[in-house]
Each structure stands twice: as C-alpha cells, then as structure tokens.
Amino acid sequence: MSTPRRINKSTTGIYLFWFGSDILWERVGSWQLSSVKSLAKLLVEITMSKPAEKGSTDKKTDLSENKLSREEVKAQREAKKAAKLAKKKGKDDTNSGEAVPKDNKSQSKDANKAVGDAKAPAPAKSNKGPAKEPSSPGKADAKKPTNANEKNKQTNQKVDRAPQKQPTKPAQQKQSAKPNNGNETSKPEPAKTEIIPATPRTKQKKYKAKLFNHLNGDTKAHKLFINNTAVHPSIIRVGEQYLNRSVTGSNARCIAFLYAIRTIIQDYVTPPNQEFSRGLEANIKNYVDYLQNFRPLAVSIINAYKYIKYILTQLPTNSTDSKLKENLCELIDAYIRDQIDKAAEAISSTVQEKICNGDVILTFGCSSLINHILEEAHRRNVDFRVIIVDCGPFLEGQELLRRLISKGISCTCVLINAIGFIMPEVTKVLLGAHALLANGYVMARTGTAQIALVARSFNVPALVCCETHKFSERVQTDAIVFNELGNPEDIVKESNIKEKRLANWQSFQKLYPLNLIYDITPPELVSAVVTEVAILPCTSVPVILRIRPTEILY
Amino acid sequence: MLNLLFQSNTITIFEFSPVQILQFKRNLTFKRQNMVEDFDISPHNPPLKAIAGLIHDVKRGKLEGSYNITVKTLDILKKIISVCDWKSAEELMKLIRTQGKILASALPQEVVTANITRRIIKLIREEYDLLQAKVHQITDDSQASLHKLVTQTSDNDISRDYSKPQEGLREALLDHLQEIETEMETCSENVSAQAEEHIHTSEVILTLGHSRSVENFLKRAVKKRENLTIIIAECAPACRGHHLAANLATGSAEIVVIPDSTIFAMMSRVNKVIIGTHSVLANGGLRAACGAYTVALAAKHYSVPVIVLAPMYKLSPVHMCNVEQDAFNLVECAEGVIPYNSLAAKFAKVYSPIFDYVPPELVTLFISNMGGHAPSYVYRLLSELYHPEDYEL
C-alpha cells in the first residue's frame, strides 16, 4: 500500500493540472487517512485552478511558461534531480512534480497546446520534437507528457501507472544502455521507436495476484524489438522466436541458442589488446543477459551456456583465432549431436522395450522426445495407440497430434480435465520434461503433475523421459517460488470460448488470469525417469549430476 | 434396494467427419420422434403434453440448470395433482410414477426429475397415512428410523392399501406442495447463508467451472469476509469459469483465473476447495463437472478439504455400477477440443465428456440447505427424503 500512496503524492500536481477536480476526488477516495495533510494542501490548489476547467489548462500552461522563462534553462536541468528527490520528500513533492511537466512545455510549446485538446496520438508525435534534441533531459521529459496527456484513459489505470512512471525512466535507459555498450550516437532513434509502440501496452493496468508478484511476466520484452546494433542479429532473432513462441520446447530452444552462439563465434573479431577467449566470453555473457529479457532461460540453455563457458576456458592460448573458432564450432556441434540427438536415440531405444503390442500410451503436450519415441515404435510395427492430452492456452497437443497422424499412428485426443474419463484405458503414461531438479522433482509444462497424479490413482505407470543435459542443480518444492509467467491475454482469448466475458479483464479491479508455464511433479508420482544413461528413479538425479562432470567434461 | 439406473449405455462417440455429424443429427431427431411414438403405443400411459414439452425444452437446451428443471417438473406434477382426474392415492401415485418414469428415461442425465417425482410420491404416501391415521386413530409410525431400516423385512412387508378414496387428500397434498416449493425457492439462500460458518478471513478458495450455488455462496463469503482469494479453474472447453470470474470480480476478493492444467500447481496454496455438483449418488460420490476428479484428487494430495454444495434435490438414490464411468457419462460436441476443419480431426478420435465421477472418499463435506453432512451420512438423508419402495420408479 505504501508505494502507490507515495507516488500519488509526488504526482498529484500533474493530475491537478490535467484533470478536473472530479478525478481528483476519486483519487482522494482511494487515499488513506495518513495523507490527509497533503490532501488539504491539494484541495486548496484545486480551488485555485477549479473555475477554469479544461479551457483553462492552456492558460495555466502559459502562466507556467512565464514562470519558467524567468527561471530559464537552469530549471530544466534541475528538473530531473527534482523528480528524483520527489521520491524522498513528502509534501514538497507536489511542487517538484509540477515542475517536470512545466519543463516540457517550455521545450515544445506547440506540442503542449495539442495536449490541451486531449488527443492521445498528438503527444506521441510531439515527443519527437524534444527527443531529437540531444539534450539529456529531453528523453526523460518525453515520457512525462505521454503519461500526463492520456486524459482518455481511465483513472484507475492512472493510479497504477503512476508508480511505474519513475522507475521506468531509469530502467528504460538502463535497458537500452546495457546491451549497447558501445553507446552509439544513433541512440535516440531507437528510443523513439521504442516508446511509440510500447506506450499502449504499458499503459494497461497490470494487476498481478499477490502470490505472483515476485515472478515477472513478459512485460518488458516487447521493448527490445529494436534494431539494436550492439547485439548480434542472430541473438535478436532467437529472442524473437522465443517471444512469439515459434520456437518452444527446451530442446528446440537449446538448439536455436547454440546455433546462434555458433554464428556469433564465427563472426567474432578479437579487439586489439584482448585475448580471444576472454573477449568472446564477455561478449557472449552480454548476449545471454540480453536474451534473458525475452524469456527466462530454459534449464537446457543454462546448461549449454555453462558448457560453452567451460570450453572457452579450456582453449589453448597459442593457436590462431580462426583455428580456435573452428575448434569451438566443432565442440558446439558435438554438444548438439551427443547431448541432444544421440541422447534422444538412446532414450528412445530404452523406451522401445517398454512399448509392446496392445499398449495404450498417454502423453501430454508436445515433447519432441516423445514424438521421436512414438514414431520409432511405429516404425518397429508395434501395435499401439496414443492418447494425447491437450490443454489451453497453447494447445500444443494439436501439434503432436498432427505429427503422429501424418505418420499413421492412431490417436485419440482429449482435454486435460477429461483425464479421469480416459485414464482407465491407458496402460502407460509417457511424459516429457523441461528439467529435472536435484531433489528429484520434475519441472515440466503445467498439467504434467496432474497427469501423473491421476495416473497414480489409476495405478498406471508414468515414465518421464528426459535427457541429462536438462538436469539442474536447482531444488524446488512447489511451482510458485520459481516459474515463468506467460501472457495473461492468452487465457482470456482462447479461440473456443463462445462468450468472451473476460475479454476486457483489465477493467475489473482485482482479477488476474494466471498463465503459469511450468509445474513441479513430486517424485512419488513418477514411476521412473528414462535418461540416456539408464532408467532411474527420480531421486537419483543428484547421482547423475555428480558423475556428469567427469563423464561429459563440464 | 440397489437401483442400477445407469446401466443403459448412453455414451456416444463423436468422430469428425461432417457426414457423420449430419447422420448423428438426423439420428437424434429420428430418436426423438421415435420416442414420442413409443409413448403413443401404450394407450394407458401417454406422456402428458406438459411432460413432453419439458423433455423437448431440456433436450433443445432451452431449459438449463438442475434448479430450473426441478422447479419446472415440480410445477407440472403439482398441476397433475390439482387438475387430473384421480380417485384414490394409488391411482395418483401410478399416474405420477408413470410420468416420472417417462421423464427419467427420456432425460437419463437429469436425475433431478426422478428425484422430485420420488419426493412427491413419498409425500402422497405420508399424507394418505396421516389422513388414515386421523380417521382410524392408528398410531403414526411413518417416520423411518435406522432401527426400522434394519428390521424392515419383518414388519414392513405389510404394504398399506392406498386404493381407498380419501377425502381431503388433494387439498392436503397441495398444501404440502406449497411447502416444497418454498423450500426450493429458499434453498440456494439457505446454502449460501452457511458461508460464514466455513470461510474465514484471507482464505484461498479454489473452485471449478460455474455453478449457481457456488456463485451465491462465494458472493456471500466475499461480502462477509475480507481478503479472500478465489481461484477459478476455467473448465475448458466451454470455459464457464470465466462467467463466474466476471460475476465475482465486482466484489472485494482477489480473483485468479487459471487454466485447468494449473490446478495441481495452485492446490498447494489453497485452503478450501468449494465445488458444485450435478448430482450426489447414493454412496456419497459425485457426478460433477468434468475436471472435478482432478481437483478432488489434487486436494487429497495436499490434504485440502473439499466442500461440495449440494441442495437436497440433487441427492439421488442411485449407485454407479460401472467403475469405468462409461455408463453414466455424456460426451458433447468436440469442436472445442479440435476444430472440425483441422486435418487431424479427420483421423483422430476426440472426446469431450461432460461429467466426472468423484468417489466419496475424496469429498470432505456436503453442504445442503439442511446443513452440513458427511458423505457417509448421505444414505440416511436419502431414506428421509424418499420412500425405499420408490427408489426404483
């Protein structure tokens, strides 16, 4: 509660000018008694500005301009500092808060008159004016009017917007600065394109259920779609593929990542006075950090990255760059071949022993490994059929269904809540996994735990298939501590709903569609884990983790 | 007294060729015509027009929700009592029984119709006995007791003679029916009035889909208790949970809408599961919305109490005969699972069942308009509600 109140105070000045007193009254209603003093102060100010209403805003701006012309440019520079101070100070904030928009006005008078008409698109264009100017406050100010100008937007959104205002300013600068490193002169250009598409989205009320405040959804990612020349294009492409979910599944994501890293290595030019491996490692680290903004890294990617870091430290120092690059690329190819492709084949051949004639195999979602296993079993002319359990919002099961149907395997498809209906006829459950945690818990697409639970209640064995490159050192006992949040819109906009009652869920005060990507299956629900090494109980994961460094060399 | 009503195999499999769908539709209409004709064949017991209309409305989806169906059935049966020409209690019972049977066989999934019929037959018995007792000064032993249930074979075999005409039976019945009607009207209110007894401050509640009684119950809870978090599983493919979410979102509680796949992940944080049900079986098991089994199982896994809101008219003296559920489920149009126009739909079998069976051991408590009951107590409630001879209509 404390944060919004604080920001309210600091920004009330702005609201005073831009909205009639009625809006302020609403805001007042939401306040707590502790801020009564500042309230009284505000009311005095309202009565000063009240009689004029909308039309008066222009006059007001003129007045403020006059003031500012006296103060001159100094105030502009100090405005930024004042804005920062605004957080710390209490009542004085109202004044400093006012100062910020005033600065804008002095910078672009015409733009602010357009603002007076309360047209949303106008300010967006007007921002270009100050943004082009190289002066440093220009950028920070450019955002302020966009916030203030949105009279059309609901006041509720305003309240929630307010807290974001000040944090986002430095954050955005950081975001654009971090990957840049080089700090090109063309920086304002991408910044401009950034703001315009981003504003409508960030304006939306972001209500999040209390339980999930610590998890970040894909909120900032869309700001990164820029021609950021400091980041290698292959990484940007991979990032975009992650974001729009054209590449999903931990294996596919890992392979895409490794290919991107390979191109980076090939394109890498060692700067003078730098060692090849050191420079490259620092470079790749930047890229990986950047990639993390699109989607949290999969465990498989983290492991692959660890491997790359390891092989970079093992490089010989006395050979040429081109030879080293060749060496590295070979090692990466070997990783893909051994850890992903060969492992899949090994697992497949192990599972084949378990699939026999007359089997009814249930699987969930779309796992590349399970697909491989089932196709292999079909090739061996085993007479079996497959039940694919699907679930919203991604409906990945349809993809697996399409692939298996095209191979001529007989398939049945149900949604996940019909699992109790279909389970009696199932003889085996095969599940894919996102990662295996060191305490034996299986991290996989949400719903996997439910399948294992129902399978256990019907005494059907549930096998989890997972390559060892997805094994993680992390331990976790529930799905909420560490997870990934998908876009809540996906749940609301499922295609098969007739009446979309929640289409505008943002208009509800405390409603949140939760799109959790992974869940955690406790080991007691899993009969065994099939890895390329052996069929193991879940609890043997730490054993594999312990022997891995000597065996696979990282 | 075990009555295996669900033996008729009502399952239908939808496979996805448009031709087959057409065929199915044709079959359906054909069946309906057939059904009406079937009743015509027996000249003694034709379905009344009102009954036929009710069946038609339910099949067409014009009349939905077990409450509405029950109220409508009750209304029709009341009219039968008041309008139809009958001389003795036996005649009336036969008349109502026949109509009830027609309803039950035409709408095997809507057990509430059979339930209300049973209830009314029991009422007729009671009223008749009462009037007879008044006339002949017989001590009233109509009240069933556990002792009587156990010793039933010996002294209860002497079935009463209902064939004698009885003065004032019609008026007494109509009076009593009024009571049942008011009970129906207040029943949802009575259930939701118990919300405070079960929900405390800052509780995290999980529910599934959309049930009328759950909605009222939760609305009441939101009003009375602060800081509630209500997690709603959407119940695909119809996603009726979204309706519930939209209706509850105006309150002060925090609403989290989750897809059905997230039930297990969220269950670890849930204090109570509150669900509605389609009907309660004689053993205390549920026939509830699809997905209820997963919810109950996950709740069991995390030792979360499962509270089922079941007004008395949903209690039915029917046992499930088939563990595999085939006989008691219904499969609806599977368009929601896979769109018809996709290639895979041509080759795959797709099911979209409506109900789930939840065994009584997964249920913690039933809340009816009469109060809270353990699942093991359902048999007793049944014996109070219906006469044992009417378990089979």
PDB file of all heavy atoms in Angstrom, chain A residues 460-471:
ATOM      1  N   VAL A 460      -1.513 -46.539 -13.064  1.00  0.00           N
ATOM      2  CA  VAL A 460      -0.879 -46.617 -14.380  1.00  0.00           C
ATOM      3  C   VAL A 460       0.542 -46.082 -14.227  1.00  0.00           C
ATOM      4  O   VAL A 460       0.741 -45.018 -13.642  1.00  0.00           O
ATOM      5  CB  VAL A 460      -1.652 -45.765 -15.409  1.00  0.00           C
ATOM      6  CG1 VAL A 460      -0.988 -45.815 -16.759  1.00  0.00           C
ATOM      7  CG2 VAL A 460      -3.088 -46.231 -15.509  1.00  0.00           C
ATOM      8  N   PRO A 461       1.545 -46.809 -14.718  1.00  0.00           N
ATOM      9  CA  PRO A 461       2.917 -46.305 -14.560  1.00  0.00           C
ATOM     10  C   PRO A 461       3.165 -45.057 -15.401  1.00  0.00           C
ATOM     11  O   PRO A 461       2.740 -44.982 -16.545  1.00  0.00           O
ATOM     12  CB  PRO A 461       3.781 -47.470 -15.047  1.00  0.00           C
ATOM     13  CG  PRO A 461       2.888 -48.308 -15.875  1.00  0.00           C
ATOM     14  CD  PRO A 461       1.512 -48.135 -15.351  1.00  0.00           C
ATOM     15  N   ALA A 462       3.824 -44.097 -14.810  1.00  0.00           N
ATOM     16  CA  ALA A 462       4.144 -42.855 -15.514  1.00  0.00           C
ATOM     17  C   ALA A 462       5.654 -42.744 -15.657  1.00  0.00           C
ATOM     18  O   ALA A 462       6.383 -42.720 -14.676  1.00  0.00           O
ATOM     19  CB  ALA A 462       3.611 -41.663 -14.741  1.00  0.00           C
ATOM     20  N   LEU A 463       6.112 -42.726 -16.918  1.00  0.00           N
ATOM     21  CA  LEU A 463       7.549 -42.604 -17.194  1.00  0.00           C
ATOM     22  C   LEU A 463       7.837 -41.188 -17.663  1.00  0.00           C
ATOM     23  O   LEU A 463       7.142 -40.661 -18.530  1.00  0.00           O
ATOM     24  CB  LEU A 463       7.962 -43.586 -18.291  1.00  0.00           C
ATOM     25  CG  LEU A 463       7.912 -45.074 -17.966  1.00  0.00           C
ATOM     26  CD1 LEU A 463       8.287 -45.876 -19.205  1.00  0.00           C
ATOM     27  CD2 LEU A 463       8.858 -45.399 -16.832  1.00  0.00           C
ATOM     28  N   VAL A 464       8.853 -40.583 -17.104  1.00  0.00           N
ATOM     29  CA  VAL A 464       9.279 -39.269 -17.571  1.00  0.00           C
ATOM     30  C   VAL A 464      10.535 -39.460 -18.405  1.00  0.00           C
ATOM     31  O   VAL A 464      11.480 -40.118 -17.966  1.00  0.00           O
ATOM     32  CB  VAL A 464       9.560 -38.329 -16.386  1.00  0.00           C
ATOM     33  CG1 VAL A 464      10.207 -37.051 -16.860  1.00  0.00           C
ATOM     34  CG2 VAL A 464       8.277 -38.024 -15.648  1.00  0.00           C
ATOM     35  N   CYS A 465      10.525 -38.934 -19.607  1.00  0.00           N
ATOM     36  CA  CYS A 465      11.698 -39.057 -20.474  1.00  0.00           C
ATOM     37  C   CYS A 465      12.449 -37.727 -20.467  1.00  0.00           C
ATOM     38  O   CYS A 465      11.866 -36.686 -20.753  1.00  0.00           O
ATOM     39  CB  CYS A 465      11.284 -39.388 -21.899  1.00  0.00           C
ATOM     40  SG  CYS A 465      10.309 -40.879 -21.984  1.00  0.00           S
ATOM     41  N   CYS A 466      13.718 -37.785 -20.155  1.00  0.00           N
ATOM     42  CA  CYS A 466      14.466 -36.535 -20.012  1.00  0.00           C
ATOM     43  C   CYS A 466      15.946 -36.797 -20.261  1.00  0.00           C
ATOM     44  O   CYS A 466      16.533 -37.700 -19.665  1.00  0.00           O
ATOM     45  CB  CYS A 466      14.252 -35.982 -18.603  1.00  0.00           C
ATOM     46  SG  CYS A 466      15.026 -34.417 -18.332  1.00  0.00           S
ATOM     47  N   GLU A 467      16.533 -36.012 -21.140  1.00  0.00           N
ATOM     48  CA  GLU A 467      17.967 -36.144 -21.390  1.00  0.00           C
ATOM     49  C   GLU A 467      18.736 -35.551 -20.211  1.00  0.00           C
ATOM     50  O   GLU A 467      18.229 -34.660 -19.529  1.00  0.00           O
ATOM     51  CB  GLU A 467      18.361 -35.402 -22.677  1.00  0.00           C
ATOM     52  CG  GLU A 467      17.638 -35.866 -23.923  1.00  0.00           C
ATOM     53  CD  GLU A 467      16.397 -35.043 -24.220  1.00  0.00           C
ATOM     54  OE1 GLU A 467      15.806 -34.515 -23.263  1.00  0.00           O
ATOM     55  OE2 GLU A 467      16.035 -34.941 -25.392  1.00  0.00           O
ATOM     56  N   THR A 468      19.953 -35.992 -20.023  1.00  0.00           N
ATOM     57  CA  THR A 468      20.691 -35.491 -18.856  1.00  0.00           C
ATOM     58  C   THR A 468      21.129 -34.037 -19.020  1.00  0.00           C
ATOM     59  O   THR A 468      21.466 -33.399 -18.039  1.00  0.00           O
ATOM     60  CB  THR A 468      21.939 -36.348 -18.565  1.00  0.00           C
ATOM     61  OG1 THR A 468      22.682 -36.457 -19.762  1.00  0.00           O
ATOM     62  CG2 THR A 468      21.557 -37.702 -18.037  1.00  0.00           C
ATOM     63  N   HIS A 469      21.102 -33.511 -20.242  1.00  0.00           N
ATOM     64  CA  HIS A 469      21.505 -32.102 -20.350  1.00  0.00           C
ATOM     65  C   HIS A 469      20.433 -31.162 -19.789  1.00  0.00           C
ATOM     66  O   HIS A 469      20.657 -29.965 -19.672  1.00  0.00           O
ATOM     67  CB  HIS A 469      21.852 -31.750 -21.803  1.00  0.00           C
ATOM     68  CG  HIS A 469      20.674 -31.546 -22.700  1.00  0.00           C
ATOM     69  ND1 HIS A 469      20.145 -30.327 -22.978  1.00  0.00           N
ATOM     70  CD2 HIS A 469      19.904 -32.433 -23.373  1.00  0.00           C
ATOM     71  CE1 HIS A 469      19.118 -30.444 -23.789  1.00  0.00           C
ATOM     72  NE2 HIS A 469      18.944 -31.721 -24.044  1.00  0.00           N
ATOM     73  N   LYS A 470      19.293 -31.733 -19.410  1.00  0.00           N
ATOM     74  CA  LYS A 470      18.264 -30.907 -18.785  1.00  0.00           C
ATOM     75  C   LYS A 470      18.274 -31.036 -17.261  1.00  0.00           C
ATOM     76  O   LYS A 470      17.393 -30.510 -16.609  1.00  0.00           O
ATOM     77  CB  LYS A 470      16.882 -31.326 -19.291  1.00  0.00           C
ATOM     78  CG  LYS A 470      16.626 -31.057 -20.752  1.00  0.00           C
ATOM     79  CD  LYS A 470      15.218 -31.521 -21.065  1.00  0.00           C
ATOM     80  CE  LYS A 470      14.941 -31.525 -22.533  1.00  0.00           C
ATOM     81  NZ  LYS A 470      13.694 -32.277 -22.800  1.00  0.00           N
ATOM     82  N   PHE A 471      19.225 -31.752 -16.742  1.00  0.00           N
ATOM     83  CA  PHE A 471      19.263 -31.894 -15.288  1.00  0.00           C
ATOM     84  C   PHE A 471      19.776 -30.600 -14.664  1.00  0.00           C
ATOM     85  O   PHE A 471      20.689 -29.978 -15.171  1.00  0.00           O
ATOM     86  CB  PHE A 471      20.182 -33.062 -14.884  1.00  0.00           C
ATOM     87  CG  PHE A 471      19.547 -34.395 -15.053  1.00  0.00           C
ATOM     88  CD1 PHE A 471      18.581 -34.600 -16.024  1.00  0.00           C
ATOM     89  CD2 PHE A 471      19.899 -35.463 -14.258  1.00  0.00           C
ATOM     90  CE1 PHE A 471      17.976 -35.831 -16.192  1.00  0.00           C
ATOM     91  CE2 PHE A 471      19.323 -36.702 -14.416  1.00  0.00           C
ATOM     92  CZ  PHE A 471      18.363 -36.892 -15.388  1.00  0.00           C
TER      93      PHE A 471
END
